[in-house]
Amino acid sequence: MTKSFSCIVAFAVSSLASFAAPQSYDFKDPKGVNNVVFKLDAPLESINGTANGISGSVQFDPQSPKDLKGKIVVAGSTLQVGNPTMKEHLHSDKWMDVKQFPEITFETTGIDKVVSAENSTVAQVTGNLTIKGKTKSITAPLKITYLPGKLKARFPMMEGDLLVLRSNFKIKRSDFGINSGAFEDKVSDEIDLSFSLAGMSPKK
Amino acid sequence: MRLVLRLAALGIILITVVLWFFGGMNRGCTQTSVKQMQKDPVTDIEYPVFEQRFLPGVDFLGGGGVLGLLTIGASFLFPRK
């Protein structure tokens, strides 16, 4: 009797522990939906571009959103604008130098001002943003949407959860040595960035 | 020849303006692919899809104008009959 009771307690504790453990979400989306949109002001039009080569992983526990941590990587080669000459300039050594610095990374260091309601959480995330080999700590608003059991809706052969991260913030290209000080009369120093990313956590 | 070149210049300028106008009067640079936003129904994420399409911009308009003016200029190299 005592042995059975011990087994039940051990099972309950291990189940609870596994339930409370943060899940790892993979942000390499086979559907190619994950994207970063960047916008720079210019005299005639705003320069709008995107990047969809997203990868990385985030640890998230829906019971404890404040413990979110992870790293998102954007492949520089996937930076895209509508004009081919502009794209060539963007990838060149003066601007993003994607050959020497193929990755743009953001790694969380902390999360603050967490407000949760049902499956949605808003917070301020702080992390190290690395562009062109230069790292700067930034704080940005983050919206986290936890979609339990929704992985099957995207990939019918898979069971699991989805995690959607959205953020919009501004950086200065001069902070990261992106052709700093040059063409500021033509292209603004400020870059508006919007992230919309979905990560998946398949059930083993 | 003068008349032919001047008519050609007029044609170049007209075609350039018409293409730019009906291309959506794009005040930016010429684009060879145009971004369309779509929405993922599960995650509600809006994502860009690039469609291969020529969208003439102000550089195209300027280029056509300069080519037209050069053609008019070239017409002066031929003597009047």
Side-chain angles (χ1 to χ4, degrees):
Chain A
M1 179 68 183
T2 316
K3 197 175 176 183
S4 306
F5 182 73
S6 306
C7 284
I8 291 167
V9 170
F11 176 74
V13 168
S14 66
S15 300
L16 275 172
S18 66
F19 185 73
Q23 285 173 255
S24 180
Y25 291 83
D26 182 7
F27 280 78
K28 196 170 177 69
D29 181 22
K31 286 195 182 260
V33 163
N34 289 349
N35 70 89
V36 179
V37 175
F38 59 91
K39 200 165 88 174
L40 294 94
D41 275 334
L44 286 173
E45 57 167 352
S46 59
I47 297 166
N48 256 294
T50 63
N52 62 2
I54 315 283
S55 59
S57 68
V58 167
Q59 303 279 321
F60 178 74
D61 178 0
Q63 307 301 316
S64 180
K66 64 178 171 46
D67 294 329
L68 176 138
K69 62 180 175 184
K71 184 180 178 181
I72 297 295
V73 180
V74 181
S77 60
T78 64
L79 290 166
Q80 170 85 0
V81 285
N83 182 290
T85 310
M86 205 184 278
K87 183 183 168 184
E88 213 173 280
H89 287 169
L90 180 68
H91 286 208
S92 72
D93 55 349
K94 275 189 182 167
W95 290 85
M96 293 303 294
D97 199 358
V98 298
K99 274 187 187 160
Q100 204 184 333
F101 303 102
E103 288 182 345
I104 297 162
T105 62
F106 179 76
E107 189 160 13
T108 62
T109 53
I111 188 162
D112 197 16
K113 297 179 185 168
V114 179
V115 180
S116 294
E118 290 185 28
N119 288 333
S120 187
T121 300
V122 287
Q124 290 284 323
V125 66
T126 303
N128 291 325
L129 178 66
T130 305
I131 302 175
K132 268 189 102 175
K134 289 202 167 119
T135 303
K136 190 175 162 60
S137 177
I138 62 154
T139 299
L142 178 69
K143 186 179 179 192
I144 308 160
T145 310
Y146 173 58
L147 301 170
K150 285 282 186 181
L151 182 57
K152 198 172 184 170
R154 296 191 87 209
F155 302 101
M157 304 299 283
M158 296 169 92
E159 297 276 352
D161 305 334
L162 291 172
L163 186 72
V164 180
L165 304 179
R166 288 187 177 88
S167 185
N168 178 238
F169 58 95
K170 286 178 176 157
I171 59 166
K172 286 185 173 177
R173 59 185 176 96
S174 54
D175 287 341
F176 296 94
I178 306 167
N179 212 358
S180 52
F183 304 113
E184 278 182 19
D185 52 333
K186 289 181 183 167
V187 182
S188 67
D189 187 34
E190 207 167 59
I191 307 172
D192 189 280
L193 292 171
S194 294
F195 287 77
S196 302
L197 316 170
M200 57 182 186
S201 178
K203 291 244 161 50
K204 302 262 176 358
Chain B
M1 194 62 187
R2 285 165 70 100
L3 184 67
V4 171
L5 283 173
R6 286 176 191 183
L7 285 174
L10 185 68
I12 289 166
I13 292 168
L14 268 177
I15 288 168
T16 305
V17 171
V18 166
L19 284 175
W20 179 76
F21 185 85
F22 287 102
M25 291 190 287
N26 173 26
R27 290 188 302 152
C29 292
T30 298
Q31 295 183 14
T32 54
S33 57
V34 179
K35 187 175 76 177
Q36 306 277 357
M37 294 306 279
Q38 292 188 1
K39 196 179 226 182
D40 180 73
V42 181
T43 59
D44 267 352
I45 287 179
E46 280 208 0
Y47 63 100
V49 175
F50 280 89
E51 182 193 334
Q52 295 297 316
R53 183 154 57 94
F54 183 73
L55 186 66
V58 286
D59 49 345
F60 178 81
L61 194 63
V66 168
L67 188 63
L69 290 173
L70 285 173
T71 311
I72 290 170
S75 75
F76 288 101
L77 297 174
F78 295 92
R80 266 190 201 166
K81 277 184 183 171

